[in-house]
Amino acid sequence: MSSPSPSIRPVTVPEIRAARPSGRRIVMLTAYDHPTARLLDEAGADILLVGDSVGNNVLGYSSTLPVTMEEMLHHTRAVTRAARRSLVVSDMPYMSYQTGRRDAIRNAGRFLKEGGAAAVKIEGGRKRAALVKALLDAEIPVMGHIGLTPQSVHLMGGYRVQGKRIDQARALVEDAVALEEAGVFSLVLEGMPESVGRAVTEAVGIPTIGIGAGRYCDGQVLVLHDLLGLGETPSPRFARRYAEIGREIEGAARLFIADVRAGSFPAEAEIYTTPESLAPARGAGPGTRHR
């Protein structure tokens, strides 16, 4: 990670953990590369999440499941090189922590040691509590994630809203409490009714960050590609599009293609000149073929 300017105060894990008493609303966005991370950092995002959603949005996978540790580290390094203010959190990809405590600590540690991240995020509720404690024993801050957990897509039977039944809602509250007791510094709530998001938020003292979990969370996160209109598929109901960058990119490419084919690019302002003695013979010009 680049060294912050003395005038820039980086966001810290303790600062996020203490956000609720201060009334601070947390803003988190996904980031997968250096240029967009730089822009989001300068815009004032509190947290940049290097999400395993890089699989769907950048790498062309149909889900997050194929994403590897090496891919996540590659993208994490790109983001941390740009972040001067925002806290960088990296998703632990599928099977990087489910195979045991030893693997989990080693892989999570790589995100801090090699990737430059400040914390990791893992999916799952009570069953992850012991793992959270082990990671904290290794000095690795952990963000939790419950509700619709994309790495459990097959177990859930698809990307379905969680907590619709009263027993499911109670289980999510219990998951949140268990993760707080284990030591997570914040908790992502994804894909649940607003009433459940509110109940979970009121049951814990750590900040909750919602994505499709309603208005009562302590902060919100969106996948950048949904926010900018860059996705190949329609954005989920909970996402608000603030721009249509995808259309802008396609439109710019079409204009460039048309200009090249019409011979109007490059124009005189876009070329380097040569000494008169090296100028092409009279009559030669763009498109002239050498024989």
Side-chain angles (χ1 to χ4, degrees), residues 17 132 212 224:
R17 189 182 185 101
V132 169
L224 183 66

Side-chain angles (χ1 to χ4, degrees), residues 22 24 28 48 76 86 91 98 106 117 127 174 186 188-189 200 217-218 229 279 284 291:
S22 69
R24 176 178 182 169
M28 182 163 78
L48 296 182
T76 296
S86 304
D91 259 336
Q98 291 94 337
R106 181 184 301 111
K127 61 185 176 183
E174 292 169 2
S186 58
V188 172
L189 309 183
V200 171
C217 299
D218 299 291
R291 298 183 186 275

Side-chain angles (χ1 to χ4, degrees), residues 17-266:
R17 189 182 185 101
R20 183 183 293 181
S22 69
R24 176 178 182 169
R25 302 284 292 176
I26 300 167
V27 180
M28 182 163 78
L29 285 165
T30 62
Y32 313 114
D33 58 57
H34 186 277
T36 52
R38 177 180 57 82
L39 294 171
L40 299 178
D41 183 83
E42 292 177 355
D46 298 306
I47 304 173
L48 296 182
L49 173 66
V50 188
D52 58 359
S53 52
V54 67
N56 312 65
N57 294 298
V58 177
L59 301 178
Y61 299 142
S62 61
S63 73
T64 65
L65 300 183
V67 178
T68 67
M69 272 296 301
E70 296 309 316
E71 287 168 336
M72 287 300 302
L73 284 167
H74 172 84
H75 289 277
T76 296
R77 286 190 288 264
V79 170
T80 57
R81 291 185 194 114
R84 298 195 299 165
R85 175 189 175 278
S86 304
L87 183 78
V88 178
V89 177
S90 289
D91 259 336
M92 294 196 68
Y94 182 59
M95 297 308 289
S96 67
Y97 59 97
Q98 291 94 337
T99 54
R101 182 177 304 185
R102 191 181 190 90
D103 287 346
I105 294 172
R106 181 184 301 111
N107 288 325
R110 293 186 70 192
F111 280 115
L112 275 64
K113 186 176 180 66
E114 301 175 36
V120 298
K121 180 171 75 63
I122 62 174
E123 297 182 7
R126 283 159 287 178
K127 61 185 176 183
R128 304 292 182 223
L131 177 57
V132 169
K133 292 177 182 178
L135 292 174
L136 289 172
D137 285 343
E139 317 301 337
I140 302 169
V142 182
M143 173 183 285
H145 182 164
I146 63 173
L148 195 170
T149 47
Q151 292 177 13
S152 305
V153 58
H154 295 308
L155 191 63
M156 293 179 174
Y159 299 103
R160 303 178 184 279
V161 173
Q162 301 297 301
K164 286 186 173 181
R165 299 199 317 258
I166 189 66
D167 60 321
Q168 295 173 337
R170 286 173 177 160
L172 287 172
V173 170
E174 292 169 2
D175 283 339
V177 171
L179 288 172
E180 179 184 26
E181 291 175 350
V184 298
F185 70 92
S186 58
L187 191 57
V188 172
L189 309 183
E190 180 170 359
M192 61 185 68
E194 182 175 77
S195 59
V196 179
R198 184 175 188 175
V200 171
T201 299
E202 291 175 350
V204 296
I206 55 174
T208 58
I209 303 172
I211 177 166
R215 296 165 288 185
Y216 295 96
C217 299
D218 299 291
Q220 298 290 331
V221 56
L222 279 182
V223 171
L224 183 66
H225 287 56
D226 291 333
L227 183 145
L228 297 181
L230 280 170
E232 293 184 26
T233 57
S235 298
R237 174 178 177 176
F238 57 74
R240 181 183 297 179
R241 287 199 176 191
Y242 286 81
E244 293 292 347
I245 303 299
R247 293 179 186 173
E248 291 291 323
I249 292 172
E250 182 182 355
R254 287 182 182 276
L255 290 173
F256 173 67
I257 291 166
D259 285 350
V260 170
R261 289 177 176 163
S264 61
F265 179 88

